[in-house]
Amino acid sequence: MKIKFILYILLLVIVVRTNAQENSIELQDLKMPVSPGFSLLDISPTNIERPSNPKSLGLNILNAIGQGSSLPKDFALEASPYWLLKHYNENIYKFLGVSRKSTGSDLSTGFFRKMTVSVATYFNDSSKNYLPNTNYTAIGVRTNLLTYWGNKRGDQIRGELNKRAADRKKAEELFPDLDDPNEIQVKIDSIRKARSANEAVAISELKPVISVDAAYAYSDMFQDNNYDNQRFNRSAFWVNGTLNIGVGKEDNDYLFAIANLRVTQDNLLTDTAMNKFKRDGATDYGMRIGYEHGDFSLSFEHISRHYRDNKDLNSERNVGVLQYKVNESLYLYGSFGKNFGEVNNLFTLIGLNWSWGKQSLNADN
């Protein structure tokens, strides 16, 4: 438990480094994915999460916040160590995983750059699928194993980054007496807006052709909100492989498909009255398909769960998911469908994903 408490503290005190760099480019529309802890507990709006470029710090909230001295209900805090520990020589090309030259490779891994760590908590008061009056806490880590942009999208990113570098150079030539990085950025933004809207490419809206992510999460339970009643709940490792297919003439229209494989060690509640548990292994196979246009995303996921010993507990999850981007830092989720299990399996959920932090990276070599 000492390791987990250290992680909790690190997540709460992590800060964002916002030191200005010469010829730096601010990254817009970064997003924290849904916490692996929520996915582990099967209470996430989607158990098959789409990859994203993480912000410094993110907060996931589902349904409500607790009151009094109890742990908050249904929330997760997630942080990206990269933005705290990144090397001063890091640049935007390395972060996105594209080559600076068109002759280079647009195949990369974001193992550290895209890594996030998180803590999540969920309180159950009466559900038959979980121990009543119990807090469930989880810690998790997520990272990117492989990203492939493809020639077309790689060229689009390189072209826009070159234009943004030229915008900065032009601003410095027009306003040589400006020293304040914030004032310089205002001038750069005005120059960028003056460019034709058809020329500008929203880098955040471009998706890699293929992306493979992995995650691990561990969960404990605390009955009656009492630390002395700590008990192992569940742990899991999973891999998601994502395919993005551009449709239409715009750069923000995508059909996407995500394949999911998850291996879980579960501590199953076999007798609610006697608080009896039995450990068993389970394997999940799933797929999520959807369509994204600008700020809206509509998708459907299907996951089939198979236990090693308790075959009677095999079940499926079928959930529709609607996501809307309110602004660069806030996303809303809505889910409806059938969750795992045969009892209390109606799944209706509204949640929000709130992330913050100002990120910029060097545009030089």
Side-chain angles (χ1 to χ4, degrees), residues 305-349:
R305 175 165 297 172
H306 300 271
Y307 280 94
R308 182 179 62 242
D309 299 327
N310 295 278
K311 307 295 184 183
D312 293 340
L313 296 180
N314 293 351
S315 60
E316 296 180 345
R317 172 182 164 113
N318 296 290
V319 175
V321 183
L322 176 65
Q323 174 187 296
Y324 175 66
K325 185 180 79 172
V326 180
N327 55 44
E328 294 177 5
S329 299
L330 183 63
Y331 289 75
L332 295 180
Y333 293 87
S335 299
F336 177 82
K338 174 185 177 297
N339 208 351
F340 295 111
E342 301 302 326
V343 179
N344 292 344
N345 57 13
L346 177 64
F347 189 77
T348 56
L349 184 68

mmCIF file of all heavy atoms in Angstrom, residues 305-349:
data_model
loop_
_atom_site.group_PDB
_atom_site.id
_atom_site.type_symbol
_atom_site.label_atom_id
_atom_site.label_comp_id
_atom_site.label_asym_id
_atom_site.label_seq_id
_atom_site.Cartn_x
_atom_site.Cartn_y
_atom_site.Cartn_z
ATOM 1 N N ARG A 305 -16.686 -11.603 -22.285
ATOM 2 C CA ARG A 305 -15.824 -11.996 -21.166
ATOM 3 C C ARG A 305 -15.962 -13.492 -20.892
ATOM 4 O O ARG A 305 -17.079 -14.009 -20.741
ATOM 5 C CB ARG A 305 -16.162 -11.187 -19.921
ATOM 6 C CG ARG A 305 -15.405 -11.593 -18.652
ATOM 7 C CD ARG A 305 -15.527 -10.529 -17.577
ATOM 8 N NE ARG A 305 -14.900 -9.273 -18.018
ATOM 9 C CZ ARG A 305 -14.994 -8.128 -17.348
ATOM 10 N NH1 ARG A 305 -15.698 -8.074 -16.225
ATOM 11 N NH2 ARG A 305 -14.410 -7.048 -17.810
ATOM 12 N N HIS A 306 -14.810 -14.169 -20.772
ATOM 13 C CA HIS A 306 -14.794 -15.617 -20.549
ATOM 14 C C HIS A 306 -13.921 -15.926 -19.334
ATOM 15 O O HIS A 306 -12.722 -15.631 -19.328
ATOM 16 C CB HIS A 306 -14.236 -16.341 -21.785
ATOM 17 C CG HIS A 306 -15.027 -16.087 -23.022
ATOM 18 N ND1 HIS A 306 -16.102 -16.857 -23.399
ATOM 19 C CD2 HIS A 306 -14.908 -15.117 -23.977
ATOM 20 C CE1 HIS A 306 -16.603 -16.397 -24.527
ATOM 21 N NE2 HIS A 306 -15.900 -15.336 -24.891
ATOM 22 N N TYR A 307 -14.543 -16.533 -18.291
ATOM 23 C CA TYR A 307 -13.807 -16.921 -17.094
ATOM 24 C C TYR A 307 -13.191 -18.310 -17.268
ATOM 25 O O TYR A 307 -13.741 -19.172 -17.954
ATOM 26 C CB TYR A 307 -14.727 -16.906 -15.874
ATOM 27 C CG TYR A 307 -14.942 -15.518 -15.317
ATOM 28 C CD1 TYR A 307 -16.034 -14.753 -15.714
ATOM 29 C CD2 TYR A 307 -14.045 -14.969 -14.400
ATOM 30 C CE1 TYR A 307 -16.228 -13.467 -15.215
ATOM 31 C CE2 TYR A 307 -14.237 -13.694 -13.897
ATOM 32 C CZ TYR A 307 -15.323 -12.945 -14.302
ATOM 33 O OH TYR A 307 -15.500 -11.683 -13.810
ATOM 34 N N ARG A 308 -12.042 -18.492 -16.617
ATOM 35 C CA ARG A 308 -11.327 -19.760 -16.743
ATOM 36 C C ARG A 308 -12.067 -20.908 -16.046
ATOM 37 O O ARG A 308 -12.214 -22.001 -16.612
ATOM 38 C CB ARG A 308 -9.919 -19.614 -16.148
ATOM 39 C CG ARG A 308 -9.075 -20.871 -16.276
ATOM 40 C CD ARG A 308 -7.684 -20.668 -15.689
ATOM 41 N NE ARG A 308 -7.755 -20.379 -14.253
ATOM 42 C CZ ARG A 308 -7.324 -19.242 -13.702
ATOM 43 N NH1 ARG A 308 -6.795 -18.307 -14.484
ATOM 44 N NH2 ARG A 308 -7.412 -19.042 -12.397
ATOM 45 N N ASP A 309 -12.545 -20.683 -14.810
ATOM 46 C CA ASP A 309 -13.189 -21.743 -14.035
ATOM 47 C C ASP A 309 -14.701 -21.567 -13.942
ATOM 48 O O ASP A 309 -15.457 -22.522 -14.122
ATOM 49 C CB ASP A 309 -12.592 -21.804 -12.625
ATOM 50 C CG ASP A 309 -11.101 -22.116 -12.635
ATOM 51 O OD1 ASP A 309 -10.668 -22.869 -13.539
ATOM 52 O OD2 ASP A 309 -10.375 -21.599 -11.768
ATOM 53 N N ASN A 310 -15.161 -20.360 -13.637
ATOM 54 C CA ASN A 310 -16.589 -20.105 -13.436
ATOM 55 C C ASN A 310 -17.258 -19.757 -14.765
ATOM 56 O O ASN A 310 -17.550 -18.593 -15.046
ATOM 57 C CB ASN A 310 -16.795 -18.975 -12.422
ATOM 58 C CG ASN A 310 -16.299 -19.331 -11.041
ATOM 59 O OD1 ASN A 310 -16.984 -19.988 -10.275
ATOM 60 N ND2 ASN A 310 -15.074 -18.908 -10.731
ATOM 61 N N LYS A 311 -17.513 -20.775 -15.587
ATOM 62 C CA LYS A 311 -18.097 -20.554 -16.906
ATOM 63 C C LYS A 311 -19.483 -19.906 -16.827
ATOM 64 O O LYS A 311 -19.905 -19.216 -17.768
ATOM 65 C CB LYS A 311 -18.207 -21.878 -17.657
ATOM 66 C CG LYS A 311 -16.906 -22.667 -17.748
ATOM 67 C CD LYS A 311 -15.867 -21.935 -18.573
ATOM 68 C CE LYS A 311 -14.619 -22.785 -18.745
ATOM 69 N NZ LYS A 311 -13.550 -22.082 -19.494
ATOM 70 N N ASP A 312 -20.191 -20.125 -15.706
ATOM 71 C CA ASP A 312 -21.533 -19.557 -15.571
ATOM 72 C C ASP A 312 -21.505 -18.037 -15.505
ATOM 73 O O ASP A 312 -22.535 -17.376 -15.704
ATOM 74 C CB ASP A 312 -22.212 -20.101 -14.307
ATOM 75 C CG ASP A 312 -22.515 -21.585 -14.398
ATOM 76 O OD1 ASP A 312 -22.553 -22.107 -15.535
ATOM 77 O OD2 ASP A 312 -22.699 -22.215 -13.337
ATOM 78 N N LEU A 313 -20.339 -17.469 -15.212
ATOM 79 C CA LEU A 313 -20.229 -16.008 -15.107
ATOM 80 C C LEU A 313 -19.849 -15.352 -16.427
ATOM 81 O O LEU A 313 -19.742 -14.127 -16.496
ATOM 82 C CB LEU A 313 -19.195 -15.647 -14.044
ATOM 83 C CG LEU A 313 -19.523 -16.058 -12.606
ATOM 84 C CD1 LEU A 313 -18.405 -15.646 -11.660
ATOM 85 C CD2 LEU A 313 -20.845 -15.452 -12.149
ATOM 86 N N ASN A 314 -19.652 -16.143 -17.468
ATOM 87 C CA ASN A 314 -19.348 -15.567 -18.775
ATOM 88 C C ASN A 314 -20.478 -14.640 -19.206
ATOM 89 O O ASN A 314 -21.660 -14.969 -19.049
ATOM 90 C CB ASN A 314 -19.163 -16.659 -19.825
ATOM 91 C CG ASN A 314 -17.929 -17.505 -19.567
ATOM 92 O OD1 ASN A 314 -17.122 -17.187 -18.700
ATOM 93 N ND2 ASN A 314 -17.782 -18.583 -20.317
ATOM 94 N N SER A 315 -20.133 -13.468 -19.725
ATOM 95 C CA SER A 315 -21.164 -12.504 -20.103
ATOM 96 C C SER A 315 -20.611 -11.551 -21.159
ATOM 97 O O SER A 315 -19.448 -11.645 -21.556
ATOM 98 C CB SER A 315 -21.666 -11.720 -18.883
ATOM 99 O OG SER A 315 -20.603 -11.016 -18.266
ATOM 100 N N GLU A 316 -21.465 -10.617 -21.582
ATOM 101 C CA GLU A 316 -21.086 -9.670 -22.620
ATOM 102 C C GLU A 316 -21.451 -8.254 -22.206
ATOM 103 O O GLU A 316 -22.341 -8.040 -21.373
ATOM 104 C CB GLU A 316 -21.793 -10.007 -23.944
ATOM 105 C CG GLU A 316 -21.407 -11.350 -24.523
ATOM 106 C CD GLU A 316 -22.136 -11.641 -25.817
ATOM 107 O OE1 GLU A 316 -23.134 -10.922 -26.098
ATOM 108 O OE2 GLU A 316 -21.718 -12.551 -26.553
ATOM 109 N N ARG A 317 -20.767 -7.305 -22.804
ATOM 110 C CA ARG A 317 -21.066 -5.881 -22.626
ATOM 111 C C ARG A 317 -21.339 -5.287 -24.002
ATOM 112 O O ARG A 317 -20.517 -5.418 -24.921
ATOM 113 C CB ARG A 317 -19.885 -5.166 -21.954
ATOM 114 C CG ARG A 317 -20.007 -3.632 -21.902
ATOM 115 C CD ARG A 317 -18.768 -3.041 -21.254
ATOM 116 N NE ARG A 317 -18.639 -1.607 -21.493
ATOM 117 C CZ ARG A 317 -18.739 -0.656 -20.566
ATOM 118 N NH1 ARG A 317 -18.974 -0.988 -19.314
ATOM 119 N NH2 ARG A 317 -18.585 0.618 -20.880
ATOM 120 N N ASN A 318 -22.492 -4.632 -24.151
ATOM 121 C CA ASN A 318 -22.882 -3.977 -25.397
ATOM 122 C C ASN A 318 -23.347 -2.565 -25.069
ATOM 123 O O ASN A 318 -24.411 -2.382 -24.450
ATOM 124 C CB ASN A 318 -24.002 -4.747 -26.100
ATOM 125 C CG ASN A 318 -23.560 -6.132 -26.535
ATOM 126 O OD1 ASN A 318 -22.751 -6.276 -27.445
ATOM 127 N ND2 ASN A 318 -24.089 -7.164 -25.880
ATOM 128 N N VAL A 319 -22.547 -1.573 -25.454
ATOM 129 C CA VAL A 319 -22.797 -0.196 -25.029
ATOM 130 C C VAL A 319 -22.617 0.762 -26.203
ATOM 131 O O VAL A 319 -21.649 0.661 -26.964
ATOM 132 C CB VAL A 319 -21.836 0.209 -23.882
ATOM 133 C CG1 VAL A 319 -22.006 1.675 -23.531
ATOM 134 C CG2 VAL A 319 -22.068 -0.658 -22.663
ATOM 135 N N GLY A 320 -23.555 1.695 -26.335
ATOM 136 C CA GLY A 320 -23.409 2.798 -27.274
ATOM 137 C C GLY A 320 -22.837 4.009 -26.557
ATOM 138 O O GLY A 320 -23.197 4.273 -25.397
ATOM 139 N N VAL A 321 -21.937 4.737 -27.222
ATOM 140 C CA VAL A 321 -21.230 5.847 -26.577
ATOM 141 C C VAL A 321 -21.325 7.097 -27.449
ATOM 142 O O VAL A 321 -21.042 7.055 -28.647
ATOM 143 C CB VAL A 321 -19.739 5.509 -26.346
ATOM 144 C CG1 VAL A 321 -19.045 6.642 -25.598
ATOM 145 C CG2 VAL A 321 -19.594 4.198 -25.590
ATOM 146 N N LEU A 322 -21.721 8.212 -26.833
ATOM 147 C CA LEU A 322 -21.749 9.512 -27.491
ATOM 148 C C LEU A 322 -20.776 10.429 -26.774
ATOM 149 O O LEU A 322 -20.835 10.565 -25.552
ATOM 150 C CB LEU A 322 -23.149 10.117 -27.460
ATOM 151 C CG LEU A 322 -23.302 11.525 -28.044
ATOM 152 C CD1 LEU A 322 -23.010 11.506 -29.543
ATOM 153 C CD2 LEU A 322 -24.696 12.080 -27.781
ATOM 154 N N GLN A 323 -19.871 11.054 -27.534
ATOM 155 C CA GLN A 323 -18.901 11.984 -26.952
ATOM 156 C C GLN A 323 -19.019 13.333 -27.642
ATOM 157 O O GLN A 323 -19.188 13.412 -28.861
ATOM 158 C CB GLN A 323 -17.480 11.453 -27.119
ATOM 159 C CG GLN A 323 -16.402 12.430 -26.673
ATOM 160 C CD GLN A 323 -15.008 11.951 -27.016
ATOM 161 O OE1 GLN A 323 -14.554 10.924 -26.517
ATOM 162 N NE2 GLN A 323 -14.320 12.676 -27.887
ATOM 163 N N TYR A 324 -18.910 14.407 -26.842
ATOM 164 C CA TYR A 324 -18.953 15.756 -27.387
ATOM 165 C C TYR A 324 -17.850 16.597 -26.754
ATOM 166 O O TYR A 324 -17.697 16.620 -25.528
ATOM 167 C CB TYR A 324 -20.303 16.419 -27.114
ATOM 168 C CG TYR A 324 -20.369 17.863 -27.549
ATOM 169 C CD1 TYR A 324 -20.302 18.201 -28.898
ATOM 170 C CD2 TYR A 324 -20.468 18.889 -26.613
ATOM 171 C CE1 TYR A 324 -20.340 19.528 -29.305
ATOM 172 C CE2 TYR A 324 -20.505 20.210 -27.005
ATOM 173 C CZ TYR A 324 -20.440 20.524 -28.354
ATOM 174 O OH TYR A 324 -20.470 21.833 -28.760
ATOM 175 N N LYS A 325 -17.061 17.271 -27.586
ATOM 176 C CA LYS A 325 -16.011 18.154 -27.090
ATOM 177 C C LYS A 325 -16.593 19.546 -26.883
ATOM 178 O O LYS A 325 -16.927 20.245 -27.835
ATOM 179 C CB LYS A 325 -14.840 18.216 -28.077
ATOM 180 C CG LYS A 325 -13.665 19.029 -27.547
ATOM 181 C CD LYS A 325 -12.520 19.081 -28.541
ATOM 182 C CE LYS A 325 -12.804 20.097 -29.628
ATOM 183 N NZ LYS A 325 -11.642 20.328 -30.517
ATOM 184 N N VAL A 326 -16.722 19.961 -25.628
ATOM 185 C CA VAL A 326 -17.252 21.278 -25.298
ATOM 186 C C VAL A 326 -16.235 22.356 -25.631
ATOM 187 O O VAL A 326 -16.564 23.377 -26.228
ATOM 188 C CB VAL A 326 -17.643 21.337 -23.814
ATOM 189 C CG1 VAL A 326 -18.191 22.717 -23.456
ATOM 190 C CG2 VAL A 326 -18.676 20.264 -23.494
ATOM 191 N N ASN A 327 -14.989 22.132 -25.239
ATOM 192 C CA ASN A 327 -13.884 23.032 -25.582
ATOM 193 C C ASN A 327 -12.595 22.225 -25.528
ATOM 194 O O ASN A 327 -12.638 20.997 -25.427
ATOM 195 C CB ASN A 327 -13.843 24.261 -24.643
ATOM 196 C CG ASN A 327 -13.781 23.865 -23.183
ATOM 197 O OD1 ASN A 327 -13.031 22.969 -22.797
ATOM 198 N ND2 ASN A 327 -14.563 24.537 -22.349
ATOM 199 N N GLU A 328 -11.464 22.910 -25.574
ATOM 200 C CA GLU A 328 -10.189 22.210 -25.636
ATOM 201 C C GLU A 328 -9.885 21.399 -24.391
ATOM 202 O O GLU A 328 -9.040 20.509 -24.418
ATOM 203 C CB GLU A 328 -9.051 23.210 -25.882
ATOM 204 C CG GLU A 328 -9.119 23.884 -27.240
ATOM 205 C CD GLU A 328 -8.023 24.913 -27.412
ATOM 206 O OE1 GLU A 328 -7.177 25.011 -26.495
ATOM 207 O OE2 GLU A 328 -7.993 25.608 -28.432
ATOM 208 N N SER A 329 -10.568 21.683 -23.283
ATOM 209 C CA SER A 329 -10.261 21.014 -22.021
ATOM 210 C C SER A 329 -11.381 20.142 -21.489
ATOM 211 O O SER A 329 -11.166 19.380 -20.544
ATOM 212 C CB SER A 329 -9.902 22.057 -20.944
ATOM 213 O OG SER A 329 -8.780 22.798 -21.329
ATOM 214 N N LEU A 330 -12.584 20.241 -22.065
ATOM 215 C CA LEU A 330 -13.731 19.548 -21.485
ATOM 216 C C LEU A 330 -14.452 18.687 -22.519
ATOM 217 O O LEU A 330 -14.829 19.170 -23.587
ATOM 218 C CB LEU A 330 -14.715 20.572 -20.902
ATOM 219 C CG LEU A 330 -15.947 20.012 -20.196
ATOM 220 C CD1 LEU A 330 -15.545 19.195 -18.972
ATOM 221 C CD2 LEU A 330 -16.894 21.131 -19.795
ATOM 222 N N TYR A 331 -14.634 17.406 -22.163
ATOM 223 C CA TYR A 331 -15.371 16.459 -22.997
ATOM 224 C C TYR A 331 -16.521 15.868 -22.185
ATOM 225 O O TYR A 331 -16.355 15.555 -20.996
ATOM 226 C CB TYR A 331 -14.467 15.311 -23.464
ATOM 227 C CG TYR A 331 -13.440 15.695 -24.496
ATOM 228 C CD1 TYR A 331 -12.303 16.419 -24.154
ATOM 229 C CD2 TYR A 331 -13.589 15.324 -25.827
ATOM 230 C CE1 TYR A 331 -11.355 16.771 -25.098
ATOM 231 C CE2 TYR A 331 -12.645 15.662 -26.790
ATOM 232 C CZ TYR A 331 -11.531 16.391 -26.409
ATOM 233 O OH TYR A 331 -10.595 16.726 -27.352
ATOM 234 N N LEU A 332 -17.674 15.704 -22.819
ATOM 235 C CA LEU A 332 -18.821 15.061 -22.193
ATOM 236 C C LEU A 332 -19.057 13.698 -22.830
ATOM 237 O O LEU A 332 -18.908 13.531 -24.038
ATOM 238 C CB LEU A 332 -20.080 15.923 -22.352
ATOM 239 C CG LEU A 332 -20.099 17.277 -21.651
ATOM 240 C CD1 LEU A 332 -21.418 17.982 -21.932
ATOM 241 C CD2 LEU A 332 -19.904 17.115 -20.148
ATOM 242 N N TYR A 333 -19.436 12.727 -21.983
ATOM 243 C CA TYR A 333 -19.714 11.375 -22.439
ATOM 244 C C TYR A 333 -21.125 10.961 -22.040
ATOM 245 O O TYR A 333 -21.606 11.324 -20.960
ATOM 246 C CB TYR A 333 -18.752 10.367 -21.808
ATOM 247 C CG TYR A 333 -17.320 10.488 -22.234
ATOM 248 C CD1 TYR A 333 -16.447 11.354 -21.570
ATOM 249 C CD2 TYR A 333 -16.815 9.727 -23.274
ATOM 250 C CE1 TYR A 333 -15.116 11.466 -21.941
ATOM 251 C CE2 TYR A 333 -15.486 9.823 -23.657
ATOM 252 C CZ TYR A 333 -14.643 10.684 -22.987
ATOM 253 O OH TYR A 333 -13.338 10.785 -23.361
ATOM 254 N N GLY A 334 -21.761 10.183 -22.874
ATOM 255 C CA GLY A 334 -23.025 9.559 -22.524
ATOM 256 C C GLY A 334 -23.015 8.129 -23.028
ATOM 257 O O GLY A 334 -22.616 7.864 -24.162
ATOM 258 N N SER A 335 -23.406 7.175 -22.177
ATOM 259 C CA SER A 335 -23.396 5.755 -22.557
ATOM 260 C C SER A 335 -24.710 5.104 -22.164
ATOM 261 O O SER A 335 -25.312 5.437 -21.134
ATOM 262 C CB SER A 335 -22.243 5.015 -21.866
ATOM 263 O OG SER A 335 -21.000 5.544 -22.233
ATOM 264 N N PHE A 336 -25.139 4.153 -23.001
ATOM 265 C CA PHE A 336 -26.367 3.405 -22.698
ATOM 266 C C PHE A 336 -26.236 2.004 -23.284
ATOM 267 O O PHE A 336 -25.782 1.843 -24.424
ATOM 268 C CB PHE A 336 -27.594 4.085 -23.300
ATOM 269 C CG PHE A 336 -28.872 3.317 -23.070
ATOM 270 C CD1 PHE A 336 -29.550 3.434 -21.869
ATOM 271 C CD2 PHE A 336 -29.368 2.464 -24.043
ATOM 272 C CE1 PHE A 336 -30.729 2.716 -21.648
ATOM 273 C CE2 PHE A 336 -30.533 1.752 -23.832
ATOM 274 C CZ PHE A 336 -31.223 1.875 -22.630
ATOM 275 N N GLY A 337 -26.641 1.000 -22.489
ATOM 276 C CA GLY A 337 -26.589 -0.366 -23.007
ATOM 277 C C GLY A 337 -26.585 -1.383 -21.896
ATOM 278 O O GLY A 337 -27.078 -1.142 -20.793
ATOM 279 N N LYS A 338 -25.981 -2.536 -22.166
ATOM 280 C CA LYS A 338 -25.929 -3.658 -21.227
ATOM 281 C C LYS A 338 -24.493 -3.863 -20.770
ATOM 282 O O LYS A 338 -23.580 -3.997 -21.582
ATOM 283 C CB LYS A 338 -26.431 -4.937 -21.900
ATOM 284 C CG LYS A 338 -26.287 -6.198 -21.052
ATOM 285 C CD LYS A 338 -26.684 -7.431 -21.840
ATOM 286 C CE LYS A 338 -26.465 -8.705 -21.036
ATOM 287 N NZ LYS A 338 -25.025 -8.931 -20.705
ATOM 288 N N ASN A 339 -24.313 -3.896 -19.445
ATOM 289 C CA ASN A 339 -22.991 -4.140 -18.889
ATOM 290 C C ASN A 339 -22.804 -5.631 -18.624
ATOM 291 O O ASN A 339 -23.719 -6.436 -18.843
ATOM 292 C CB ASN A 339 -22.791 -3.341 -17.599
ATOM 293 C CG ASN A 339 -21.340 -3.003 -17.341
ATOM 294 O OD1 ASN A 339 -20.433 -3.491 -18.032
ATOM 295 N ND2 ASN A 339 -21.094 -2.161 -16.348
ATOM 296 N N PHE A 340 -21.627 -6.016 -18.127
ATOM 297 C CA PHE A 340 -21.368 -7.411 -17.802
ATOM 298 C C PHE A 340 -22.299 -7.892 -16.688
ATOM 299 O O PHE A 340 -22.784 -7.110 -15.870
ATOM 300 C CB PHE A 340 -19.915 -7.589 -17.350
ATOM 301 C CG PHE A 340 -18.906 -7.315 -18.422
ATOM 302 C CD1 PHE A 340 -18.074 -6.209 -18.343
ATOM 303 C CD2 PHE A 340 -18.788 -8.164 -19.504
ATOM 304 C CE1 PHE A 340 -17.135 -5.953 -19.328
ATOM 305 C CE2 PHE A 340 -17.848 -7.923 -20.496
ATOM 306 C CZ PHE A 340 -17.022 -6.817 -20.416
ATOM 307 N N GLY A 341 -22.506 -9.194 -16.629
ATOM 308 C CA GLY A 341 -23.337 -9.796 -15.594
ATOM 309 C C GLY A 341 -24.774 -9.972 -16.030
ATOM 310 O O GLY A 341 -25.211 -9.415 -17.047
ATOM 311 N N GLU A 342 -25.512 -10.757 -15.252
ATOM 312 C CA GLU A 342 -26.915 -11.031 -15.565
ATOM 313 C C GLU A 342 -27.869 -10.306 -14.630
ATOM 314 O O GLU A 342 -29.073 -10.394 -14.786
ATOM 315 C CB GLU A 342 -27.162 -12.550 -15.498
ATOM 316 C CG GLU A 342 -26.290 -13.370 -16.446
ATOM 317 C CD GLU A 342 -26.479 -12.949 -17.891
ATOM 318 O OE1 GLU A 342 -27.602 -12.575 -18.268
ATOM 319 O OE2 GLU A 342 -25.483 -12.989 -18.655
ATOM 320 N N VAL A 343 -27.341 -9.623 -13.615
ATOM 321 C CA VAL A 343 -28.166 -8.910 -12.630
ATOM 322 C C VAL A 343 -27.737 -7.447 -12.611
ATOM 323 O O VAL A 343 -26.542 -7.140 -12.634
ATOM 324 C CB VAL A 343 -28.007 -9.531 -11.227
ATOM 325 C CG1 VAL A 343 -28.859 -8.762 -10.219
ATOM 326 C CG2 VAL A 343 -28.385 -11.005 -11.239
ATOM 327 N N ASN A 344 -28.714 -6.542 -12.553
ATOM 328 C CA ASN A 344 -28.423 -5.104 -12.527
ATOM 329 C C ASN A 344 -27.450 -4.712 -13.635
ATOM 330 O O ASN A 344 -26.480 -3.991 -13.412
ATOM 331 C CB ASN A 344 -27.836 -4.700 -11.169
ATOM 332 C CG ASN A 344 -28.826 -4.812 -10.040
ATOM 333 O OD1 ASN A 344 -30.029 -4.901 -10.273
ATOM 334 N ND2 ASN A 344 -28.337 -4.829 -8.816
ATOM 335 N N ASN A 345 -27.714 -5.167 -14.845
ATOM 336 C CA ASN A 345 -26.764 -4.947 -15.926
ATOM 337 C C ASN A 345 -27.164 -3.832 -16.890
ATOM 338 O O ASN A 345 -26.511 -3.651 -17.924
ATOM 339 C CB ASN A 345 -26.523 -6.239 -16.708
ATOM 340 C CG ASN A 345 -27.817 -6.816 -17.277
ATOM 341 O OD1 ASN A 345 -28.848 -6.143 -17.301
ATOM 342 N ND2 ASN A 345 -27.766 -8.054 -17.732
ATOM 343 N N LEU A 346 -28.228 -3.097 -16.576
ATOM 344 C CA LEU A 346 -28.564 -1.933 -17.384
ATOM 345 C C LEU A 346 -27.514 -0.859 -17.138
ATOM 346 O O LEU A 346 -27.230 -0.488 -15.996
ATOM 347 C CB LEU A 346 -29.947 -1.404 -17.025
ATOM 348 C CG LEU A 346 -30.383 -0.125 -17.772
ATOM 349 C CD1 LEU A 346 -30.517 -0.401 -19.270
ATOM 350 C CD2 LEU A 346 -31.702 0.393 -17.201
ATOM 351 N N PHE A 347 -26.913 -0.342 -18.208
ATOM 352 C CA PHE A 347 -25.803 0.594 -18.078
ATOM 353 C C PHE A 347 -26.199 1.931 -18.678
ATOM 354 O O PHE A 347 -26.360 2.073 -19.892
ATOM 355 C CB PHE A 347 -24.562 0.046 -18.794
ATOM 356 C CG PHE A 347 -23.311 0.838 -18.534
ATOM 357 C CD1 PHE A 347 -22.630 0.700 -17.340
ATOM 358 C CD2 PHE A 347 -22.809 1.703 -19.493
ATOM 359 C CE1 PHE A 347 -21.457 1.426 -17.093
ATOM 360 C CE2 PHE A 347 -21.648 2.429 -19.261
ATOM 361 C CZ PHE A 347 -20.970 2.284 -18.054
ATOM 362 N N THR A 348 -26.388 2.931 -17.839
ATOM 363 C CA THR A 348 -26.675 4.300 -18.279
ATOM 364 C C THR A 348 -25.739 5.226 -17.515
ATOM 365 O O THR A 348 -25.674 5.177 -16.285
ATOM 366 C CB THR A 348 -28.134 4.696 -17.998
ATOM 367 O OG1 THR A 348 -28.421 4.520 -16.602
ATOM 368 C CG2 THR A 348 -29.082 3.835 -18.807
ATOM 369 N N LEU A 349 -25.027 6.052 -18.213
ATOM 370 C CA LEU A 349 -23.994 6.831 -17.565
ATOM 371 C C LEU A 349 -23.748 8.140 -18.301
ATOM 372 O O LEU A 349 -23.730 8.182 -19.533
ATOM 373 C CB LEU A 349 -22.691 6.028 -17.536
ATOM 374 C CG LEU A 349 -21.510 6.651 -16.806
ATOM 375 C CD1 LEU A 349 -21.765 6.720 -15.314
ATOM 376 C CD2 LEU A 349 -20.240 5.838 -17.077
#
